Amino acid sequence: MAEVRLEGVSKYFGRFKALDGISFTVSPGEIFTLLGPSGCGKTTTLRVIAGFEIPEEGRVYIDGVDVTFKKPYERNTAMVFQNYALWPHMTVFDNIAYGLKVRGYSREEIRRRVNWALELLGLKGLENRYPLQLSGGQQQRVALARAIVVEPKVLLFDEPLSNLDAKLRVRVREEIVSLQRKLRITTIYVTHDQEEAMSISDRIAVMDRGRIIQVGTPWEIYSNPANLFVATFMGRSNVLEGVVVSRESDNLYVVDVRGLRIYGVSRDKLEKGDKVKVVIRNEDAELLEEDRRSPNVLEGRVVRTSLIGFAIQVRLLLDNGETINVYLKNKTSISEEERLRVYVSPEDVKVYKALETVEE
């Protein structure tokens, strides 16, 4: 198990600054995920760690050793690529053995290690097949076997599941986690999929525009987002504009949203009259059957419904003219034009200064 540390890493492509002072530490044996939208710099960060890109500024350390300018093969890392990068003219056995052959291992040692990897990843019996004779999930396991067979200190994943269908994606990510727990290899994982990141990670680094925005456990990132970008990137959310009316306690504020008073919590220190963004996640709304009078009861008319499996998604036109989307779980049918009342706990309402813009 190895520690990975980045200190002030910046990377340019021409005049474009792909990474802007990236710093973080990955603890030995953990799964650390770089999460963010396309173009945020997460794959570039991974390539800098692997040695495929050299930063203009900053340093990369693996187990305390400065590897910033070392060749990829000198770092004892292994990468699993998005497109698997298997040699089509080689059998499964030869694809897995390739890295061992390059490193000069004996024929007996190569056979022993490859057989170990085949057994570990459930590929026994497929060693003489070619990549085009395999399913997507099998190809992914071959790519993973090729990475672990060289016994790297650090395992790097670049969007490894994006080419798989939804059901297979869930199964393979569970296999990756199970394998990582068994081998305890320090793992850095890149994805744009929030659900994927939440399900596999010990910690997550949310990235945007070449910077680390927030680092924390999945629960910390989800329940206490550092800013508006993180709050809206993690899950499905409604963003409403309002003005602070009063402060009720240390972090609890009352916000006026077009005549509707909404109570919410904020990490920012806000003043009366501040313009703010109010974030309400779709799943945090609770359907009210009784006539309950309390803060954060939102009333309106149903304008659209759709079934999303675990719940009914309802588009609700509130009485103040705002429109929100909510997930209602314990409701079998909802009619358009029906009037509904939903409640959102103040602790689930996040309030941020209106200094940021959120891309739709």
Side-chain angles (χ1 to χ4, degrees), residues 186 258 282 353:
T186 303
R258 295 178 62 178
N282 296 19
K353 286 184 179 179

Side-chain angles (χ1 to χ4, degrees), residues 17 27 33 49 52 72 77 83-84 88 102 109 111 118-119 137 148 198 209 214 230 251 266 282 297 303:
K17 196 171 191 177
S27 299
T33 296
I49 296 168
F52 300 140
T77 64
N83 61 356
Y84 316 140
V102 169
E109 180 66 9
R111 183 165 297 278
L118 288 167
E119 188 72 39
I148 66 169
M198 297 280 286
R209 301 176 188 179
Q214 183 175 4
V230 179
N251 66 342
S266 180
N282 296 19
V297 174
V303 294

Side-chain angles (χ1 to χ4, degrees), residues 2 14 34 39 43 57 60 71 82 115 117 137 168 179 182 202 211 213 216 220 233 235 264 279 332 339 346 358:
L34 300 172
T43 293
E57 301 168 7
V60 179
K71 303 293 185 184
Q82 180 176 351
N115 285 332
L168 187 56
L179 181 66
K182 187 178 297 183
D202 294 309
R211 296 181 179 181
I213 305 301
E220 288 168 348
F233 186 75
V279 179
T332 55
R339 285 192 61 80
V358 178

